[in-house]
Amino acid sequence: MIKYTDEHEWIVVDGNIATVGITDYAQKALGDVVFVELPEVGVTFGTGDEVAVVESVKAASEVYAPLSGDITEVNSDLEGEPALVNTSPTDGGWFFKMSIADTGELDGMMDEAAYNDFVAGLE
Amino acid sequence: MSADQTLLKTPLYELHVENGGKMVPFAGYAMPVQYPLGIMKEHLHTREAAGLFDVSHMGQAYIRSLDGSDPAAAIEEIMPGALQILKPGKMRYTLLLNDQGGIEDDLMVTRTFEPEGTLYVVVNAACKEKDYAILEEKLGDKIALEPLEDRALIALQGPKAEAVLAKLAPEVADLSFMEATMVTLEGVVCWVSRSGYTGEDGYEISVPMDEAEAFSKRLLMNDDVELIGLGARDSLRLEAGLCLSGHDFNETISPVAASVTFALGKKRREAGDFAGGDRILSELEKGADNVRVGILPEGRAPAREGVIITDLSGNEIGKVTSGGFGPTLGAPIAMGYVPKAFAENGTEIQLLVRGKSLAAKVAATPFVPQRYKRKTV
């Protein structure tokens, strides 16, 4: 199952674990990513907390936790190759995995069709 | 996205939009921060080939004297460069100083070929109203300032700039860095100087505004030329170690503190015969308390304007004034102010980025060697 937030994050749900990244729309808007500051494994975040920072050549942008839960893994490939966020936003450019404290939080999120409509409305 | 309607537009606005420029407000103008190529590739393209920049938002003006004397004699009162000795077709980078010796703005001054010794100046977009007001207030009884509102300004920068422009006017190849001349390009009379703010060889071309779009399109037909936005303009000038007015210095900071003493004329720095001369001479002798330095963060995280600089014990010693990522260097770079005891290259410092202390070193600028075409003697 894949879900989307209006902050342009994607969430792939596998059992009790969510893998989180930013969408193609978001990476295009940010431009060339030169650094990603990732959270530490084991830290607990609440929905909407600042969990990561993406730096493009021009500016820094915060990434907010789409769900509440604990960080279980981060994508260490981004340390050496932050441009993966641009070249492979929904695959190799994932940010982190987190446990899902409350599956009910997924209910309010957009599915792929709804997100595509949302983005179409922005362009 | 449409730009705010209250923003001014340069003569190349339509060209930017047609080419997918992402328009943002800058100094009251709608300007392209980047094109579809993106800041990284735009930056690298300029270093490898040639970039076309619209800098029409900058202030272009003529300065003439009211009594037939040299207008440079008047402006030298508030600018510390050796300007009276400028021969026709020669230009200088100089500073507009206040009475306290603080830097109101930096600017380019060129001697035109007019028999009266008329000067052509280019000032920063964000400062043009202020600069013109200062010139009027301080020197209004000696000089007349004539803003050139009907001219666009285009910068063509990069190692291929000469070959591109020389196809239209072979004589531009004969100009050396900081020289200018009148050239007919595609039937249009333009004022062309070999100058720029990217650290690369290149030209700045003052074109009548009605001709600017056609002229730019003509340059863009060349495969070596790409449109470059403000984002890459900023990263290029930062790699070249060049100051951004209002950020890397301001009206309280002297040329000594800002490490731009190269802008002080040799004889003039002995005489101190300019606004704030006492302070500046004293600082030349004793050094300024805090000075602008280059900074190389050790990791990959950029440290941007406003980031606090600390010593190794965590005591605040200064702030970053410009910072970001250098695409040519492939690493973050910054400039900022530190006490003179920390100003030596190689000094270890720390940068407080989002609550974390990141290791960094004071470093020589330019970060990327400047490649100006200077006259070979």
Side-chain angles (χ1 to χ4, degrees):
Chain A
M1 179 171 65
I2 186 161
K3 292 281 193 179
Y4 296 86
T5 71
D6 54 10
E7 299 280 351
H8 304 282
E9 291 154 297
W10 55 261
I11 299 112
V12 167
V13 180
D14 183 8
N16 188 40
I17 298 293
T19 305
V20 180
I22 64 169
T23 65
D24 189 53
Y25 176 88
Q27 70 81 14
K28 279 189 184 137
L30 288 169
D32 302 303
V33 173
V34 297
F35 178 73
V36 183
E37 185 171 292
L38 293 167
E40 282 174 33
V41 172
V43 176
T44 305
F45 289 91
T47 307
D49 289 351
E50 186 184 314
V51 65
V53 177
V54 190
E55 300 244 19
S56 67
V57 180
K58 189 78 191 142
S61 309
E62 291 81 26
V63 174
Y64 302 99
L67 299 163
S68 48
D70 303 335
I71 301 297
T72 59
E73 193 180 341
V74 297
N75 184 359
S76 54
D77 290 348
L78 296 182
E79 279 172 31
E81 206 183 344
L84 281 170
V85 177
N86 297 116
T87 56
S88 182
T90 52
D91 189 15
W94 63 278
F95 278 36
F96 54 86
K97 297 185 187 208
M98 67 192 299
S99 63
I100 303 171
D102 173 10
T103 52
E105 287 187 319
L106 293 164
D107 296 343
M109 291 183 189
M110 290 177 271
D111 61 16
E112 183 138 18
Y115 178 73
N116 289 341
D117 287 347
F118 174 64
V119 167
L122 299 173
E123 279 164 350
Chain B
M1 269 181 279
S2 67
D4 187 333
Q5 305 231 316
T6 63
L7 293 172
L8 298 167
K9 291 174 181 170
T10 74
L12 295 181
Y13 177 84
E14 298 298 333
L15 182 78
H16 300 314
V17 173
E18 274 169 30
N19 283 277
K22 189 171 166 188
M23 306 305 283
V24 300
F26 182 83
Y29 286 80
M31 296 299 291
V33 66
Q34 64 170 84
Y35 300 88
L37 200 55
I39 296 174
M40 191 85 87
K41 290 199 178 107
E42 289 172 30
H43 177 116
L44 297 172
H45 183 87
T46 306
R47 293 255 185 263
E48 284 157 17
L52 178 68
F53 303 72
D54 178 14
V55 286
S56 305
H57 56 316
M58 297 183 83
Q60 304 177 67
Y62 283 137
I63 294 179
R64 298 191 168 89
S65 95
L66 293 174
D67 65 1
S69 64
D70 182 0
I75 66 170
E76 275 195 358
E77 292 175 24
I78 53 174
M79 299 179 196
L83 304 174
Q84 292 189 63
I85 64 168
L86 278 179
K87 296 197 171 78
K90 300 282 185 183
M91 66 194 289
R92 279 243 154 78
Y93 170 86
T94 192
L95 307 165
L96 178 57
L97 300 173
N98 58 33
D99 291 341
Q100 291 72 45
I103 308 171
E104 295 284 347
D105 196 13
D106 58 354
L107 69 157
M108 293 286 188
V109 176
T110 313
R111 182 81 75 181
T112 69
F113 291 92
E114 289 187 18
E116 305 80 22
T118 304
L119 300 170
Y120 163 72
V121 299
V122 178
V123 305
N124 283 296
C127 296
K128 61 184 168 186
E129 301 305 328
K130 178 182 80 170
D131 293 356
Y132 294 168
I134 291 171
L135 285 162
E136 183 61 39
E137 186 205 324
K138 296 266 174 100
L139 307 171
D141 57 338
K142 295 176 184 159
I143 58 162
L145 179 89
E146 183 195 330
L148 300 167
E149 308 286 5
D150 59 349
R151 298 261 280 269
L153 190 63
I154 293 161
L156 185 67
Q157 301 278 294
K160 301 273 180 71
E162 179 187 280
V164 169
L165 203 59
K167 265 188 212 162
L168 306 183
E171 64 267 41
V172 300
D174 298 331
L175 290 172
S176 290
F177 182 57
M178 300 299 265
E179 287 182 347
T181 193
M182 204 72 97
V183 174
T184 302
L185 296 166
E186 301 283 284
V188 180
V189 178
C190 299
W191 179 249
V192 176
S193 64
R194 195 149 199 170
S195 57
Y197 219 59
T198 59
E200 294 298 321
D201 181 27
Y203 299 89
E204 289 170 303
I205 308 151
S206 178
V207 194
M209 62 185 274
D210 295 342
E211 312 285 349
E213 185 175 307
F215 175 67
S216 300
K217 284 183 171 166
R218 174 70 185 79
L219 290 177
L220 287 165
M221 282 168 66
N222 194 309
D223 287 343
D224 285 325
V225 182
E226 290 283 350
L227 278 164
I228 311 294
L230 290 181
R233 181 169 163 80
D234 193 51
S235 55
L236 287 158
R237 71 96 199 157
L238 182 57
E239 278 188 343
L242 302 170
C243 288
L244 181 60
S245 181
H247 297 258
D248 298 310
F249 53 66
N250 60 41
E251 67 283 354
T252 67
I253 293 174
S254 78
V256 181
S259 309
V260 289
T261 52
F262 65 87
L264 308 179
K266 260 183 214 155
K267 285 185 182 158
R268 304 210 61 207
R269 69 164 74 193
E270 286 161 22
D273 55 347
F274 42 80
D278 291 347
R279 171 188 176 188
I280 291 168
L281 288 198
S282 153
E283 287 187 358
L284 276 171
E285 197 185 322
K286 297 177 202 154
D289 294 342
N290 294 285
V291 288
R292 182 180 63 88
V293 295
I295 297 166
L296 280 176
E298 280 180 13
R300 289 188 68 105
R304 301 185 190 273
E305 182 176 1
V307 160
I308 289 171
I309 305 169
T310 72
D311 63 17
L312 297 185
S313 311
N315 304 304
E316 178 171 346
I317 56 170
K319 278 205 174 88
V320 169
T321 52
S322 273
F325 188 82
T328 302
L329 221 58
I333 48 175
M335 303 197 291
Y337 281 79
V338 296
K340 59 184 167 190
F342 290 85
E344 200 174 315
N345 291 335
T347 305
E348 292 182 36
I349 53 172
Q350 292 181 324
L351 303 167
L352 206 53
V353 177
R354 292 184 287 273
K356 287 180 196 154
S357 279
L358 306 179
K361 280 197 175 101
V362 172
T365 59
F367 299 105
V368 171
Q370 295 166 342
R371 298 196 287 183
Y372 305 132
K373 195 192 162 189
R374 295 183 196 274
K375 192 157 274 172
T376 45
V377 184

